């Protein structure tokens, strides 16, 4: 089919999207000689319209999907919807529309945008986490984990968002505010359900060493969040009382320098040991701290505040009495809720001591010999001084000896602590997975919860009116639906009530990647055979903001799935790509708040999907932020028009059949094309998509500079070059690429045609001709680098069709290689 003179994306793009869909071009499971590739982007929250951040995220995966398919891999590339949760519910409440209705509308909008951009998804694998067929298995996992002690109900302080009117995870609190709605977060005591993720803390920490293809900043964030600390617990007796405070420290070697003790304001000992003279001040401080969230008290930059209790603690080693304070930076549920303070050797303790004029005592001489005291603390290891029998010992040696003494004297013991806490996942919202638990006063007076029988799953959400979705009226919205709440106890047959809280949406995204592989499977959460075939995910694309939430939760969940015999291995993802932010033209992150959002539909409508794709991929490396530029969008469009004009002008060359040698301009055209192929191939492997596009631009410039082909050799070379340009543009601008290829004789979409190999002899500047003989008779001439080895020259020669034909069916006796001149195959 001849190319039209004018480049018209609005005509060719729908045509090829229909062709790809009709041919099921991106369906998985059709085999691939090089094995499988599972390419995945984090599934979207359909709580609003699609924006350019989504475009970039999905485009990275799409480019890799097309590239790997052309390389011969069986590629799985699914898409679905993280449809439950706060974003969808908040949007629905704001608009006065039921979450199910608004979610369906947003999914339809998202899907239309995605299709318009030509993404290579296998839509047969689509999942929607708000459907009972999906969340039934959330409930199944809950029951399985409950049976294994990995789920439990607890009464604890939680993060209460005053805007979303629900509990949120520690990881969702940013600077004392909800990361979703930016409302203040308060500490609140209430019952909640939690996953015992801490049982896997060591495994999650150890597993980070396997994640060699994850960004360092992500693994470092998880390592810090898990927060393994090796140290000791030591008991400080409270002078004049029967009580003692147990502290945890990683630096017991500094204990002789402890000059004060600090308790959390809500530590159980505070009320018991506070002296009468200090009671009023302590009570006021405790009340003030109760009004602040844990994050507010401990966030970086927060002023250190405290008050003296009037009590003294006794150092278990020296017998010295030190004052006991309470302070905002110590938390009752972190460590032991008590801290021994050594201001001479700890930065936080030093700042607090300076503020309140507390004593400093140096007990470790730095290994460097240069002390920062009294201007700053000495925090490094060194040699102990003024430390009784441990004086003169190096810090590491002293720590071992002191830990042993504490254990021997029954005043403490070696201990490992973790920063990570169990994952509280119950939410006081409507739009989520119902927790499959019942409460029966007769069978369960303590309200531990009775599991719903497996045969009764799924426990479906009731279809309630929009007004009842509103929260914050003293109880979760599901509690208002008596017909749903009131049910029958499976044990005694008497009256029972359902749990009215729902699961955190992060539960949905913990295992969706496995459900994609068999979305209609009904015997289990997914087909284990499919999981064995395609897991782990080979490439995962998403935002770095998920480092200590989703990306940690789903690593935990994968290990649970292994425990249940559903998957093999320990880690769900091999390679993680974290994309940067797409900012608005004003340099601020795209947001309705700033009025700087660029809708994909506006770009597709004006310039076409391929222009949008090319611009986004050319803007910078995947992990780098970039500012939107209308001028650069126009530049991407001009480039594609330039490619189109070249292909249109030279399409007559496609009919030329030439079998001779190439030299002069013809050779230079071929060299430009093969250099482009090499550069793009290497750039794709490095995920340097902008460099790949730059290579194509350079090649196109060279082809224009070559001028009109004057003979069959030049015409043949030009047709080959245009075909190569179309091929390497296929992952980036697939609609234009397929249209050009069709105009040059391709009978099928380029994704089916494979990714070509460049000719090594054409990609170096200093090349030599080699005569290729078979039994002394000239069969071909190939070109190879002047520095090419015999093996490299043989590879060039044996790739030639004429040489292949001459050698076929023959027995190779000998190869005569004359450097820089010829190669002769002696066959019999």
């Amino acid at each position: 089919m001849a190319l039209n003179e004018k480049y018209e994306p609005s005509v060719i793009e729908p045509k090829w999207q229909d062709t790809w869909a009709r041919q099921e071009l991106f369906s998985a499971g059709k085999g691939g000689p090089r094995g499988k590739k599972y390419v995945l982007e984090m599934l979207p929250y359909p709580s609003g319209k699609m924006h350019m951040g989504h475009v970039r995220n999905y485009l990275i995966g799409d480019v890799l999907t097309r590239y790997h398919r052309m390389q011969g891999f069986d590629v799985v590339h699914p898409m679905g919807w993280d449809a439950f949760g706060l974003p969808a519910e908040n949007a629905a409440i704001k608009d006065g529309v039921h979450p199910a209705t608004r979610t369906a509308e947003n999914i339809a909008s998202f899907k239309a945008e995605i299709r318009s951009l030509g993404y290579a998804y296998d839509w047969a694998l689509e999942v929607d986490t708000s459907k009972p067929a999906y969340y039934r298995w959330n409930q199944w996992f809950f029951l399985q984990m409950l049976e294994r002690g990995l789920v439990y109900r607890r009464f604890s302080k939680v993060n209460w968002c005053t805007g979303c009117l629900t509990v949120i995870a520690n990881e969702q609190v940013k600077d004392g505010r909800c990361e979703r709605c930016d409302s203040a977060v308060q500490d609140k005591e209430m019952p909640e359900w939690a996953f015992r993720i801490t049982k896997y803390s060591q495994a999650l920490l150890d597993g980070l060493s396997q994640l060699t293809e994850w960004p360092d900043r992500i693994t470092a964030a998880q390592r810090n969040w898990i927060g393994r600390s090796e140290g000791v617990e030591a008991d400080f007796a409270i002078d004049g009382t029967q009580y003692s405070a147990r502290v945890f420290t990683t630096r017991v070697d500094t204990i002789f320098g402890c000059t004060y003790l600090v308790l959390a304001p809500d530590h159980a000992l505070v009320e018991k040991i506070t002296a009468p003279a200090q009671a009023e001040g302590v009570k006021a401080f405790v009340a003030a701290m109760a009004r602040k969230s844990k994050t507010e008290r401990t966030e970086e930059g927060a002023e250190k505040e405290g008050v003296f209790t009037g009590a003294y603690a006794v150092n278990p080693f020296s017998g010295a009495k030190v004052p006991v304070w309470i302070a905002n930076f110590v938390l009752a549920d972190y460590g032991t809720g008590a801290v021994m303070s050594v201001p001479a050797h700890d930065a936080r303790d030093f700042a607090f001591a300076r503020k309140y004029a507390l004593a400093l005592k140096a007990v470790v001489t730095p290994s460097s010999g240069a002390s920062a005291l009294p201007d700053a603390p000495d925090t490094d290891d060194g040699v102990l001084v003024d430390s009784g029998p441990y004086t003169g010992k190096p810090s590491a040696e002293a720590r071992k000896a002191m830990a042993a003494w504490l254990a021997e004297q029954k005043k403490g013991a070696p201990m490992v602590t973790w920063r990570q806490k169990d994952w509280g996942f119950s939410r006081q919202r409507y739009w989520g997975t119902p927790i499959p638990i019942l409460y029966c006063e007769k069978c369960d007076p303590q309200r531990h919860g009775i599991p719903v029988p497996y045969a009764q799953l799924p426990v479906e959400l009731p279809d309630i009116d929009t007004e009842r979705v509103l929260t914050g009226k003293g109880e979760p919205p599901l509690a208002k639906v008596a017909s749903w709440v009131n049910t029958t106890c499976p044990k005694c047959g008497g009256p029972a009530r359902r749990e009215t809280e729902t699961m955190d949406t992060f539960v949905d995204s913990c295992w969706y990647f496995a459900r994609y592989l068999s979305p209609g499977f009904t015997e289990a959460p997914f087909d284990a055979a499919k999981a064995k075939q395609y897991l782990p995910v080979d490439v995962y694309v998403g935002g770095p903001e998920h480092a200590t939430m989703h990306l940690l939760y789903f690593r935990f969940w994968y290990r649970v799935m292994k425990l249940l015999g559903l998957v093999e291995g320990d880690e769900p993802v091999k390679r993680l790509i974290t994309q940067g932010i797409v900012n608005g033209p004003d340099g601020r992150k795209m947001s309705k708040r700033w009025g700087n959002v660029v809708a994909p539909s506006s770009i597709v409508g004006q310039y076409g999907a391929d222009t949008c794709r090319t611009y986004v991929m050319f803007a910078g490396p995947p992990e780098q932020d970039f500012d939107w530029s209308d001028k650069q969008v126009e530049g991407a469009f001009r480039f594609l028009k330039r490619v189109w004009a070249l292909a249109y002008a030279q399409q007559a060359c496609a009919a030329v059949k030439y079998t001779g040698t190439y030299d002069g301009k013809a050779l230079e055209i071929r060299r430009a094309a093969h250099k482009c192929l090499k550069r793009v191939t290497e750039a794709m492997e490095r995920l340097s998509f902008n460099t790949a596009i730059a290579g194509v631009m350079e090649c196109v410039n060279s082809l224009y500079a070559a001028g009109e082909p004057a003979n069959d050799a030049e015409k043949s070379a030009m047709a080959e070059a245009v075909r190569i340009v179309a091929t390497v543009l296929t992952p980036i601008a697939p609609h234009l690429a397929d249209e050009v290829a069709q105009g040059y004789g391709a009978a099928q979409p380029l994704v089916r045609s494979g990714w070509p190999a460049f000719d090594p002899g054409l990609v170096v500047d200093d090349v030599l001709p080699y005569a290729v003989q078979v039994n002394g008779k000239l069969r071909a001439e190939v070109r190879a680098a002047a520095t090419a080895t015999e093996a490299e020259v043989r590879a060039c020669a044996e790739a030639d069709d004429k040489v292949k034909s001459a050698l076929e069916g023959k027995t190779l006796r000998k190869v005569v290689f004359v450097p820089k001149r010829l190669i002769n195959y002696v066959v019999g």
Side-chain angles (χ1 to χ4, degrees), residues 44-48 81-92 95 97-111 128-131 431:
Y45 294 115
S47 57
W81 316 102
D82 198 1
F84 267 153
L86 289 176
E89 185 168 335
N90 285 345
D95 298 338
V97 179
H98 194 281
T101 302
R102 180 44 46 87
T103 297
E105 293 172 352
N106 288 339
I107 286 175
S109 171
F110 253 83
K111 200 167 183 178
D128 178 340
T129 64
S130 68
K131 300 298 184 184
W431 195 235

Side-chain angles (χ1 to χ4, degrees), residues 18-36:
D18 289 344
T19 299
W20 300 334
R22 188 172 61 255
Q23 295 184 10
E24 298 182 346
L25 192 64
F26 305 113
S27 296
K30 295 189 176 179
R34 297 188 63 185
K36 69 92 179 178

Side-chain angles (χ1 to χ4, degrees), residues 333-527:
D333 61 354
Y334 185 74
T336 64
V339 174
M340 74 169 207
S341 297
V342 187
H345 303 293
D346 181 90
R348 183 189 62 190
D349 297 347
F350 181 86
F352 191 83
R354 275 210 160 175
K355 179 175 181 178
Y356 293 103
L358 298 170
L360 277 68
K361 181 183 179 183
V363 293
V364 176
T365 300
S367 300
S368 64
S371 174
L373 290 169
D375 299 318
D378 294 328
T379 58
D380 294 336
D381 280 3
V383 177
L384 273 64
V385 296
D386 293 334
S387 298
Y390 306 99
T391 296
K393 292 183 182 292
S395 289
E397 181 182 335
R399 284 194 285 270
K400 292 181 181 179
M402 297 166 99
W405 182 86
L406 283 168
E408 180 183 323
Q409 298 296 315
K410 293 183 171 49
K411 294 184 176 182
M415 185 63 61
V416 174
T417 63
W418 304 88
R419 183 173 183 266
Q420 184 180 40
K421 303 301 177 186
D422 283 337
W423 170 16
F425 65 89
S426 50
R427 300 291 180 261
Q428 295 68 41
R429 300 301 292 253
Y430 165 72
W431 195 235
T433 298
I435 296 174
I437 286 291
L438 306 174
Y439 298 102
C440 172
E441 292 186 6
K442 178 179 178 182
C443 302
D444 182 34
Q446 300 300 317
R447 291 184 60 82
H448 296 302
I450 299 170
V452 171
Y454 287 100
Q456 294 180 17
L457 300 184
V459 176
E460 295 191 30
L461 281 175
D463 185 15
I464 63 178
D465 60 75
T466 305
E467 288 300 316
R468 287 186 174 181
V469 175
L470 296 174
T471 60
K473 307 301 181 183
E475 58 184 356
L478 287 177
K480 305 169 187 175
V481 189
S483 60
W484 183 86
V485 173
N486 296 314
T487 186
T488 302
C489 174
K491 288 189 174 182
C492 70
R497 289 178 59 84
R498 296 190 186 279
E499 171 62 75
T500 57
E501 297 184 345
T502 55
M503 296 186 196
D504 183 359
T505 188
F506 280 114
V507 172
D508 305 329
S509 57
C510 274
W511 65 282
Y512 75 102
F513 56 92
R515 183 67 178 178
Y516 274 146
L517 301 175
S518 48
F521 202 64
T522 59
E523 303 300 315
F526 50 87
D527 185 342

Side-chain angles (χ1 to χ4, degrees), residues 76 92 108 174 198 203 252 280 287 332 447 458 461 466 476-477 562 654 727 827:
V76 180
K174 306 298 180 186
T198 53
V252 70
E280 186 175 342
R447 291 184 60 82
L461 281 175
T466 305
K562 181 181 179 181
T727 299
V827 299

